Amino acid sequence: MDGQTAMKFLREMLKIRYFELKAAELFMQGLMAGNIHTCAGQEAAEVGACQALRETDFITSTHRGHGHCIAKGGQVDIMMAELFGKATGYCKGKGGSMHIVDVGLGILGANGIVGAGIPIATGSALASKIRGADEVTLAFFGDAASNQGSFHEALNMASAWKLPCVFVCENNKYGVSVCIDRVCNVEDIATRAVAYNIPGVVVDGNDVFEVYEAVKTAVERARSGEGPSLVECKTYRHRGHYEGDPQIYKTPEEVGYWKDRDPILRLRQKMTDANLATVVELDVLEAEVKAEIEAAVEFAKQSPYPAVDQVTMDVYANDNERSVIR
Amino acid sequence: MREINYGQAISEAMHEEMVRDGSVIILGEDMGVMGSVFGLTKGFMDEFGAHRVIDTPISEAGFTGMAVGAAMRGLRPIVELMYVDFAPICLDPIVNQAAKMRYMTGGQVKVPLVIRAPGGAGRRNAGQHSQSLEALFTHIPGLKVVAPATPYDAKGLLKSAIREDDPVMFLEHKILYAQKGEVPETEYLIPLGKADVKRQGKDVTIIAYSRQVVFALEAAKELAAQGIEAEVIDLRTLVPLDWETIETSVKKTHRVVVVQEAVKRGGYAGEIATQIMENAFDELDAPVKRVAGLNVVLPFSPALEDAAYPSAKDIVAGVRDVVK
Ligand SMILES: Cc1ncc(C[n+]2csc(CCOP(=O)(O)OP(=O)(O)O)c2C)c(N)n1
Ligand SMILES: [Mg+2]
């Protein structure tokens, strides 16, 4: 670990943290409509995984997707505008929090359907293979998504055809209120890789470097044509499943345990311990990131709503008007 | 009479039937510990046990298929799909299994299964969490389809649905959960297949179901101020359809507007309009009019969503088109 890399990783993680805390605050103030799922606490998994990718690689994301998008290079102002339902947002206000996409950055999309991104990532990998491109596609998904048929079917095909993809499970222990150990009889999701004869590894999902190293190995394997891997990151979401979730299913001990393992505080500590940065430098970095998020909020607030005639646009590529009217 | 909301009415219906009949079980995501994301099964797991109130994994195809199997073996499962938008994940157990079992076994097998699924727009939940998908189910022989608009109807119909010996799609509307209405404390049932005339009128018939009934009644008030007396029929059950109530009203008013929140193309309103055309054409003084959602994906932005599906003013405009 060198200082520059550590700073880069930390900056991305902070960006996610402050984006999420800000979004939650605005949501609770009633400034955002709909529903948001924040990923505070899971930043190391998201940043560690995306840092192991090239800019030309792809990801699919989930309903809890803000962190994935930021980690893959998404712009926080355009993201924030989407959360506000503004015309300047990534999807012109049509998708909202759960549907951010930037194909140019390789972000094939967050998704409102649990498990849906996994076969889509596998299909993206198929496209790379057929075209002979050396891109890799990485699918992010939760512990609970690994109980969907889509997960098992996709892993089977990816393995059978040695597709260049990487499956990254962020195991935060819960699918909404349901603890994974009540609905799944393996201790580690990574064990499921055995069924598909692919590597399955478990990492400390709150250690950004551990995630980075594991995903890097998986990405190299995928790129060299040896097929997919499953990487499970053990982590925890600090906030509710959705904003406003009373979280009756969590125990104070568990919350405390994970608070002590906050991925951002851990990285900060590591960096100061190893003399890679001073506390002052880290505080400056934090202030810069906070300012960037504030600017994003300002951009979103100042942006216009989409004009109402946009409601019928973009349903089809051709013959849109007739197809919508009839 | 006491007032409770639509969500509480659904909760009470499930509770009463669970107490009454030990073969009723509940399966779905977050139904147990959390008491469902809409709070409808709070306390059920403690009262009835984790074997009757089952927190499933996120495996819609799997647990809906299991519910079909359990129903074939004599249980009466109530499955909750957290959003009706997830039904496409488990269309096989619904469409190819539950719906067809009785017929394809020559009547040997019954599937007494209720699938509860909230749908509907208005909560800025975007395209994958806002749809009205009733037409997928009304299209499938073997399924009964219920879509109540009031707490009273929701409770009485759900209790009947649970006692049905055929699979029932019980389609709720998320916006209605908080809507209050009178519900007696004493037990009652509402039979499937009976519409309810929610307002009498002589000039035009508005046929609606689910949340659009609320808008239709609002529209009727506005129309009354303009001198038009609208009759509002709440279908309550889409399959089987209460043709008699429709026919009686058409013979009285001779003008019909059919309303649905779902996108217009291929919707159930078109089916009703066609049945009126086929069976009561001579009674009509104007073409039957549909008021329905735009043929678009439901958008997230508050600036767009309200334009995508009908509200009272669209129904008023629709009525003005047929009453000239
Ligand atoms: C097919 C489907 N079923 C259910 C839901 C409702 N839902 C949204 S997120 C979620 C839990 C997902 O848990 P997990 O995959 O572990 O991701 P996490 O929320 O923990 O990030 C559920 C049940 C959904 N969106 N899609
Ligand atoms: Mg989870």
Side-chain angles (χ1 to χ4, degrees), chain A residues 85 93 99 112 147-148 177 323, chain B residues 30 59-60 124 128 265 295 301:
Chain A
H99 301 280
N147 285 327
Q148 279 288 32
S177 69
S323 312
Chain B
D30 304 288
S59 309
E60 285 86 1
R124 324 307 188 198
Q128 295 172 345
R265 187 169 57 229
N295 294 323
S301 183

Side-chain angles (χ1 to χ4, degrees), chain B residues 137-277:
Chain B
F137 308 115
T138 56
H139 190 63
I140 302 299
L143 299 176
K144 293 190 172 177
V145 183
V146 181
T150 67
Y152 178 81
D153 291 343
K155 182 171 177 185
L157 285 163
L158 181 53
K159 284 171 65 79
S160 296
I162 294 167
R163 298 184 196 186
E164 275 283 320
D165 280 343
D166 288 313
V168 179
M169 296 301 300
F170 196 86
L171 305 175
E172 300 161 13
H173 198 298
K174 300 188 283 289
I175 295 276
L176 293 177
Y177 281 140
Q179 198 102 2
K180 284 199 160 182
E182 289 190 343
V183 176
E185 300 202 37
T186 48
E187 190 184 25
Y188 65 96
L189 295 167
I190 298 174
L192 268 54
K194 276 298 298 158
D196 183 38
V197 179
K198 289 251 173 354
R199 187 185 196 278
Q200 301 275 347
K202 61 175 178 26
D203 300 324
V204 60
T205 300
I206 305 174
I207 300 174
Y209 52 91
S210 191
R211 185 187 182 200
Q212 288 298 326
V213 172
V214 177
F215 288 132
L217 290 168
E218 260 177 55
K221 243 193 209 160
E222 167 63 25
L223 289 161
Q226 301 176 19
I228 298 171
E229 289 303 326
E231 179 143 301
V232 177
I233 296 179
D234 176 0
L235 289 179
R236 304 196 295 193
T237 302
L238 309 188
V239 179
L241 181 67
D242 181 359
W243 170 252
E244 286 69 35
T245 299
I246 294 173
E247 188 179 38
T248 305
S249 187
V250 173
K251 283 182 172 164
K252 179 160 87 169
T253 66
H254 310 291
R255 293 166 200 275
V256 186
V257 174
V258 194
V259 190
Q260 71 182 26
E261 179 179 314
V263 300
K264 195 176 213 173
R265 187 169 57 229
Y268 198 58
E271 172 64 27
I272 295 167
T274 307
Q275 292 204 25
I276 294 170
M277 234 86 85

Side-chain angles (χ1 to χ4, degrees), chain B:
Chain B
M1 203 188 292
R2 74 171 177 150
E3 292 207 338
I4 58 173
N5 68 36
Y6 182 92
Q8 288 164 329
I10 288 162
S11 177
E12 281 190 5
M14 289 193 283
H15 189 267
E16 287 177 18
E17 293 305 303
M18 298 267 307
V19 170
R20 180 182 161 270
D21 180 351
S23 64
V24 178
I25 62 166
I26 294 178
L27 292 134
E29 291 153 18
D30 304 288
M31 300 307 284
V33 170
M34 198 179 195
S36 100
V37 293
F38 295 104
L40 306 186
T41 52
K42 275 226 164 73
F44 280 35
M45 193 181 223
D46 288 339
E47 183 175 349
F48 300 109
H51 62 297
R52 288 186 68 197
V53 183
I54 302 172
D55 267 328
T56 62
I58 306 180
S59 309
E60 285 86 1
F63 68 73
T64 307
M66 281 176 64
V68 175
M72 289 169 67
R73 294 289 317 285
L75 295 184
R76 291 188 173 270
I78 306 171
V79 166
E80 181 190 89
L81 300 175
M82 196 184 288
Y83 290 79
V84 76
D85 310 71
F86 309 155
I89 294 168
C90 50
L91 276 182
D92 179 67
I94 298 173
V95 171
N96 289 324
Q97 311 306 327
K100 294 183 173 48
M101 212 48 90
R102 177 183 295 280
Y103 188 89
M104 296 185 76
T105 61
Q108 286 180 78
V109 173
K110 66 176 184 186
V111 182
L113 164 68
V114 175
I115 298 180
R116 293 183 37 248
R123 283 170 46 124
R124 324 307 188 198
N125 285 335
Q128 295 172 345
H129 286 76
S130 304
Q131 298 168 93
S132 296
L133 296 178
E134 64 277 9
L136 291 183
F137 308 115
T138 56
H139 190 63
I140 302 299
L143 299 176
K144 293 190 172 177
V145 183
V146 181
T150 67
Y152 178 81
D153 291 343
K155 182 171 177 185
L157 285 163
L158 181 53
K159 284 171 65 79
S160 296
I162 294 167
R163 298 184 196 186
E164 275 283 320
D165 280 343
D166 288 313
V168 179
M169 296 301 300
F170 196 86
L171 305 175
E172 300 161 13
H173 198 298
K174 300 188 283 289
I175 295 276
L176 293 177
Y177 281 140
Q179 198 102 2
K180 284 199 160 182
E182 289 190 343
V183 176
E185 300 202 37
T186 48
E187 190 184 25
Y188 65 96
L189 295 167
I190 298 174
L192 268 54
K194 276 298 298 158
D196 183 38
V197 179
K198 289 251 173 354
R199 187 185 196 278
Q200 301 275 347
K202 61 175 178 26
D203 300 324
V204 60
T205 300
I206 305 174
I207 300 174
Y209 52 91
S210 191
R211 185 187 182 200
Q212 288 298 326
V213 172
V214 177
F215 288 132
L217 290 168
E218 260 177 55
K221 243 193 209 160
E222 167 63 25
L223 289 161
Q226 301 176 19
I228 298 171
E229 289 303 326
E231 179 143 301
V232 177
I233 296 179
D234 176 0
L235 289 179
R236 304 196 295 193
T237 302
L238 309 188
V239 179
L241 181 67
D242 181 359
W243 170 252
E244 286 69 35
T245 299
I246 294 173
E247 188 179 38
T248 305
S249 187
V250 173
K251 283 182 172 164
K252 179 160 87 169
T253 66
H254 310 291
R255 293 166 200 275
V256 186
V257 174
V258 194
V259 190
Q260 71 182 26
E261 179 179 314
V263 300
K264 195 176 213 173
R265 187 169 57 229
Y268 198 58
E271 172 64 27
I272 295 167
T274 307
Q275 292 204 25
I276 294 170
M277 234 86 85
E278 284 176 345
N279 300 303
F281 187 76
D282 294 342
E283 294 292 338
L284 293 173
D285 288 344
V288 178
K289 171 99 188 166
R290 284 178 296 167
V291 173
L294 302 177
N295 294 323
V296 303
V297 179
L298 282 151
F300 161 67
S301 183
L304 301 180
E305 191 188 18
D306 296 339
Y309 67 93
S311 63
K313 68 170 187 348
D314 302 300
I315 300 173
V316 169
V319 168
R320 305 265 8 167
D321 274 351
V322 300
V323 183
K324 280 197 175 125

Side-chain angles (χ1 to χ4, degrees), chain A residues 203-231:
Chain A
V203 297
D204 177 346
N206 283 11
D207 181 329
V208 69
F209 293 106
E210 207 180 301
V211 175
Y212 173 75
E213 291 302 334
V215 175
K216 201 159 171 266
T217 305
V219 167
E220 277 161 12
R221 179 181 144 88
R223 214 183 297 283
S224 64
E226 291 167 70
S229 313
L230 173 59
V231 179

Side-chain angles (χ1 to χ4, degrees), chain A residues 42 64 142-145 170-176 237:
Chain A
Q42 303 182 196
R64 197 176 305 290
D143 46 293
E170 286 173 85
N171 183 348
N172 62 10
K173 219 179 141 184
Y174 293 99
V176 192
R237 71 170 143 73

